[in-house]
Amino acid sequence: MVSRVDAEDDVRSRVLAAATRLFANRGFDGTSVQLIADEVGVTKPAVLHHFSSKEELRRAVVGNMLDHWQKTLPNLLLAATAGDDRFERVIGELLRFFTADPDRARLVAREMLDRPAEIRALLKSAVRPWLGAVSGYIERGKNSGETSVSVDSEAYVIHILLLVIGASASQSVALAALDGKDAKQRYERELLRIARSSLGIQKGRRE
């Protein structure tokens, strides 16, 4: 038998999931609390029981995404500092984070456009540790001759982050232009090639 607490937690989780999906696809302004309630199959007061306003719900949605990012961050940091295939590991972890739930990428893209000041603050707190680790790896590659000395390591990492976010956010649309059952693999493989070639790294070359 499901307890009342478990039932309440389930409703809250479903509201968060529905709000994430709707905010990502319709935008914050284009999504009403009633629409979220209808998506979950509960009443509007039930939604407001867990989140006192739509703005509070938006903050919870962004916070939930950041919680997932913080769980992924150790893998990203480890990938940036260990092994001979660090480049593939880093980009792979980043791709997995956003392609596991493309609504994350769409949500970030919308928030960057609609609330740039908040996203700037989030980037400093959530992305900065990873940025430092990855750019440090690139700098070591420049010193050893494995990476082009003309690369601005920190700016490169930001560009790659935005490239992955944009590619993940638009993937469902972009894949329509590619033929074949392997369209998704081709799409992601080419993204990896672009990111790698920008550093001057050749496929199969030891990093």
Side-chain angles (χ1 to χ4, degrees), residues 1-17 40 42-51 57:
M1 182 177 179
V2 179
S3 69
R4 180 176 179 180
V5 173
D6 289 339
E8 289 286 318
D9 288 344
D10 178 62
V11 171
R12 189 180 191 281
S13 296
R14 286 161 53 206
V15 168
L16 272 176
V40 178
V42 298
T43 63
K44 180 177 176 179
V47 173
L48 295 175
H49 169 71
H50 293 279
F51 306 96
L57 178 53

Side-chain angles (χ1 to χ4, degrees), residues 143-195:
N143 293 334
S144 64
E146 297 169 352
T147 301
S148 172
V149 295
S150 64
V151 174
D152 182 324
S153 58
E154 289 194 342
Y156 168 84
V157 174
I158 294 298
H159 276 298
I160 293 304
L161 176 61
L162 293 176
L163 175 63
V164 171
I165 290 172
S168 301
S170 60
Q171 186 178 90
S172 61
V173 175
L175 291 183
L178 295 177
D179 294 327
K181 295 180 179 180
D182 63 341
K184 184 175 184 293
Q185 289 73 23
R186 289 170 55 203
Y187 185 77
E188 294 179 359
R189 187 168 59 242
E190 182 60 16
L191 187 154
L192 181 63
R193 187 199 65 77
I194 292 170

